[in-house]
Amino acid sequence: MEQLKHECGVAMVRLLKPLEYYERRYGTRSYGLNKLYLMMEKQHNRGQEGAGIASVRLDVEPGNEYMFREKALGKDAITEIFSRIDGNFVGEVYMGHLRYSTTGKSGLKYVHPFLRRNNWRAKNLCMCGNFNMTNIDEIFTRLTAQGQYPRIYSDSYIMLELMGHRLDREVERNYSEARSAGLEGIAITEYIDSHMDMTNVLRTSMMGFDGGYVVCGITGSGEMFAMRDPWGIRPAFYFLDDEIVALASERPVLQTTFDIATDDVEELPAGVSLVVNRQGRVSLTEVMPPAEEKRGSASCSFERIYFSRGNDRDIYRERQRLGEQLVPIIKDAIAGDVANTVFSFIPNTAEVAYYGMLHGFMKMGHDVRFEKIAWKDIKLRTFITGDNQRNDLAAHVYDVTYGVVRPGEDNLVVIDDSIVRGTTLKESIIKILDRLRPKKIVIVSSAPQIRYPDYYGIDMARLEEFCAFRACIELLMERGMQSYVLRTYYECLDELKKPASEMTLPVKHLYEPFTVEELNRKMVEMLRPEGVITPIELVFQSVEGLHAACPNHRGDWYFTGNYPTPGGIRLCNQAFVNYIEQKS
């Protein structure tokens, strides 16, 4: 219903045999490049604002280019890039990236991969990632204390320079050893390249970062690496055989690209790096201890509910369970009158949860009436300037199937994956459903109430964006509890004076006076469009239900405020202060 900008997508390919091998077996030296293209297209859902790719050719004579990069903007960026490159781009190491901006910054200079050039082969670094860091101010201060002078204040650029600095030191160490051994010329280069320790570079670079990330990179000497954050917030999967190493943000991407089974794909563990050196040796190393023992698994549950494609075996089952678990509360909402209820869903990510909901009713012996009620149309907006006309268009983003709901006799139940801001509900969905004149409209969310911002790669950073938060504030004001809000504000100010590792989250207290049902009723009151008199009820998944459906992905901070890192707590406290002070 509500498009959320979210974490990016990554794709990596490392050929483990000479290019001639792939030409003989598969009929083309571009085998790896073709696989990269397919992996990126299969993850197109993770990047609509831009894309970029990079490659490295091994065993190139000095004086010739060996590291290549192409980037483009727009939803057709992948097609544009691959139509632009030529045979020079063919190599043994590939990296691709799909970008969704979650910071409001756009333009080609923000599109990954980022490239750091140097005349030493091993000092060239190309980096991309799916990440958002919450403590970039601390890292920036650390860099300037070392005497560095960064020219751009962003996590991507600072990470590139920090890692590049450690890469420089690694090369210089190897250079000293090579000279001490009496090596000269190309022998020095070969020694440096064959003795690179990328795990050490990652360990010394990433220490101190707070956030969710999968950081990927390739060097001019042919090293390839990917590392996942120690909380396991952002996802990464890899496949390895004797011909190839490949990594992607989603498991089905690898399965489809390489025609392999689910169990052939491994998930990159939290805090672990996958490194393939110039010689093709693959290693998995714990760079930082996983944080699970301290805080519990923090793998993003929103990946399971919404962002990842639903054709993953486990995600498909989880989304079905999310829908099935809602059956008892839906029955309550329609007073058990299943026979006089039409069930449907909001296109398109809620479809699997919808099937789970139907299966749940069928398991209980009900003969369910299911129809496709809502249809999403193209949103026209470019040539309309007047606010009234623009709002009228917004109300027609969706259309409905007429003639299947009996006016005044049938309840209408529609399920969506989540309800975030509520804007589309108010401006479009409720109005268009009301045209069918049902006895009652029940809007179901397969996710719990979203109450807190995300700071690890999803574009929802302000508290006032969430209809659940706005409902909470309205209830506090109605009941004369303004002092509650003011006290929370001063408590947040006090928390922000502490080191991030010692902070708590007073914002949680705002919700304590109210039940889920009270907040639901207030949200209905707020979101009901003028003129709509049909009874409306909101039904949300419980947090316990979410954990039961997705037991291995318990990152739930957007619902509970249980942030896995100190940086998340700090930024949420700051968000409430900004809300009270009316700051952007």
Side-chain angles (χ1 to χ4, degrees):
M1 186 190 300
E2 301 178 78
Q3 284 290 343
L4 293 174
K5 294 180 180 179
H6 60 95
E7 64 270 12
C8 307
V10 295
M12 305 193 81
V13 173
R14 173 60 157 94
L15 303 180
L16 300 179
K17 295 183 181 297
L19 291 175
E20 292 74 21
Y21 169 88
Y22 304 93
E23 187 171 23
R24 289 194 306 270
R25 179 162 185 185
Y26 299 105
T28 176
R29 295 168 66 90
S30 300
Y31 172 79
L33 191 60
N34 294 342
K35 293 299 185 185
L36 181 73
Y37 171 75
L38 186 55
M39 290 168 67
M40 292 179 70
E41 284 289 10
K42 289 294 180 182
Q43 294 183 101
H44 206 159
N45 59 301
R46 303 184 78 90
Q48 300 291 322
E49 295 185 7
I53 64 173
S55 74
V56 171
R57 296 171 62 187
L58 305 178
D59 303 322
V60 174
E61 291 294 321
N64 296 283
E65 185 58 83
Y66 50 87
M67 198 169 194
F68 304 85
R69 179 184 61 160
E70 286 286 345
K71 302 194 292 185
L73 285 172
K75 61 183 179 61
D76 299 319
I78 301 173
T79 303
E80 180 182 338
I81 288 169
F82 280 89
S83 64
R84 190 191 301 162
I85 60 178
D86 56 26
N88 290 326
F89 213 93
V90 173
E92 293 86 355
V93 190
Y94 297 99
M95 181 171 69
H97 185 266
L98 301 116
R99 183 176 193 266
Y100 249 126
S101 169
T102 59
T103 61
K105 296 178 180 178
S106 59
L108 198 61
K109 71 177 183 178
Y110 296 106
V111 176
H112 303 204
F114 299 105
L115 179 61
R116 187 178 188 263
R117 285 291 197 180
N118 197 281
N119 214 34
W120 293 86
R121 189 164 67 182
K123 288 186 179 182
N124 286 274
L125 174 63
C126 203
M127 191 193 77
C128 73
N130 171 9
F131 53 76
N132 205 57
M133 302 303 180
T134 65
N135 67 333
I136 196 62
D137 50 347
E138 296 175 17
I139 302 298
F140 188 86
T141 301
R142 193 173 95 197
L143 286 179
T144 53
Q146 293 174 351
Q148 297 192 48
Y149 205 91
R151 59 187 178 87
I152 299 176
Y153 189 90
S154 76
D155 52 5
S156 304
Y157 177 78
I158 288 175
M159 195 184 306
L160 176 74
E161 289 302 322
L162 185 59
M163 196 173 295
H165 174 65
R166 302 304 307 187
L167 197 64
D168 290 349
R169 296 184 65 174
E170 183 72 17
V171 171
E172 288 157 10
R173 179 181 62 81
N174 290 338
Y175 174 78
S176 296
E177 292 177 1
R179 292 305 302 250
S180 297
L183 301 179
E184 295 183 356
I186 195 68
I188 294 178
T189 303
E190 296 295 341
Y191 182 91
I192 291 173
D193 293 349
S194 62
H195 287 76
M196 293 298 294
D197 185 353
M198 281 308 303
T199 301
N200 183 54
V201 171
L202 289 169
R203 183 175 289 115
T204 52
S205 300
M206 300 307 297
M207 190 175 299
F209 274 107
D210 181 305
Y213 56 85
V214 173
V215 178
C216 303
I218 56 179
T219 71
S221 58
E223 301 271 336
M224 182 182 96
F225 63 87
M227 180 185 167
R228 190 178 181 194
D229 66 78
W231 302 274
I233 296 171
R234 297 273 69 89
F237 299 85
Y238 68 93
F239 165 66
L240 166 67
D241 65 10
D242 62 344
E243 291 185 355
I244 201 165
V245 181
L247 179 135
S249 295
E250 298 187 28
R251 180 167 58 181
V253 172
L254 295 169
Q255 291 182 241
T256 301
T257 301
F258 297 101
D259 190 21
I260 53 178
T262 300
D263 293 337
D264 292 329
V265 181
E266 300 287 342
E267 185 171 5
L268 187 64
V272 169
S273 68
L274 170 70
V275 175
V276 188
N277 70 1
R278 180 179 175 83
Q279 292 74 33
R281 188 174 67 251
V282 182
S283 61
L284 286 163
T285 308
E286 185 181 284
V287 175
M288 285 185 278
E292 292 183 3
E293 292 182 8
K294 182 179 179 183
R295 295 180 179 269
S297 174
S299 297
C300 177
S301 59
F302 237 121
E303 279 281 346
R304 324 301 287 183
I305 298 167
Y306 177 82
F307 292 133
S308 290
R309 291 158 68 110
N311 60 331
D312 181 281
R313 178 193 65 187
D314 294 340
I315 290 176
Y316 186 84
R317 293 172 180 170
E318 290 165 7
R319 290 182 183 176
Q320 280 192 316
R321 285 197 294 268
L322 286 169
E324 184 174 340
Q325 288 171 176
L326 287 162
V327 168
I329 192 170
I330 293 171
K331 281 192 69 175
D332 288 343
I334 58 174
D337 191 7
V338 178
N340 295 306
T341 300
V342 175
F343 296 88
S344 193
F345 65 96
I346 305 296
N348 284 312
T349 49
E351 188 171 3
V352 179
Y354 169 66
Y355 294 140
M357 177 183 68
L358 295 181
H359 290 155
F361 276 104
M362 291 174 184
K363 284 180 180 178
M364 298 174 71
H366 293 291
D367 186 12
V368 185
R369 295 168 57 197
F370 49 90
E371 305 286 353
K372 182 164 183 177
I373 295 294
W375 301 76
K376 191 167 187 179
D377 289 334
I378 296 172
K379 191 173 185 179
L380 305 174
R381 60 179 184 270
T382 54
F383 63 94
I384 299 296
T385 55
D387 287 342
N388 290 337
Q389 296 178 71
R390 195 161 50 233
N391 291 339
D392 184 60
L393 276 179
H396 292 83
V397 172
Y398 288 89
D399 208 340
V400 287
T401 303
Y402 294 95
V404 295
V405 175
R406 295 173 299 183
E409 297 182 37
D410 288 334
N411 300 305
L412 177 56
V413 173
V414 290
I415 188 170
D416 198 10
D417 46 60
S418 58
I419 298 172
V420 185
R421 302 176 181 96
T423 309
T424 312
L425 270 177
K426 185 169 186 174
E427 294 180 355
S428 182
I429 293 290
I430 294 176
K431 288 180 181 179
I432 204 75
L433 295 180
D434 186 58
R435 291 187 177 191
L436 301 176
R437 299 294 183 257
K439 183 169 62 176
K440 182 179 186 180
I441 297 173
V442 179
I443 298 169
V444 182
S445 170
S446 70
Q449 291 177 349
I450 296 172
R451 300 180 172 187
Y452 303 91
D454 178 83
Y455 300 105
Y456 305 116
I458 304 173
D459 184 23
M460 45 184 198
R462 298 189 305 159
L463 280 161
E464 58 268 34
E465 292 182 342
F466 310 125
C467 57
F469 176 79
R470 298 197 306 272
C472 176
I473 295 297
E474 285 206 18
L475 285 172
L476 288 168
M477 295 303 173
E478 287 176 3
R479 299 184 186 184
M481 301 173 70
Q482 292 89 339
S483 60
Y484 214 80
V485 178
L486 196 60
R487 186 174 76 234
T488 301
Y489 167 66
Y490 286 119
E491 287 175 348
C492 286
L493 287 175
D494 288 340
E495 290 299 316
L496 288 169
K497 296 173 185 176
K498 302 177 182 177
S501 60
E502 297 176 12
M503 287 184 192
T504 60
L505 190 63
V507 181
K508 286 185 177 183
H509 302 322
L510 292 171
Y511 294 97
E512 289 175 355
F514 312 115
T515 65
V516 169
E517 291 72 26
E518 286 177 298
L519 288 168
N520 287 352
R521 287 193 292 271
K522 174 52 67 173
M523 278 189 272
V524 168
E525 183 182 315
M526 291 165 48
L527 299 177
R528 180 186 294 277
E530 186 177 350
V532 172
I533 60 173
T534 304
I536 300 170
E537 186 167 342
L538 288 178
V539 169
F540 284 88
Q541 182 74 247
S542 67
V543 173
E544 295 75 18
L546 171 70
H547 290 165
C550 310
N552 299 319
H553 299 80
R554 300 179 70 85
D556 62 5
W557 51 92
Y558 5 74
F559 314 119
T560 64
N562 295 331
Y563 290 93
T565 75
I569 296 171
R570 179 179 66 84
L571 289 176
C572 188
N573 283 325
Q574 186 64 57
F576 187 72
V577 170
N578 291 347
Y579 165 72
I580 295 296
E581 297 178 355
Q582 298 186 332
K583 292 181 179 178
S584 171

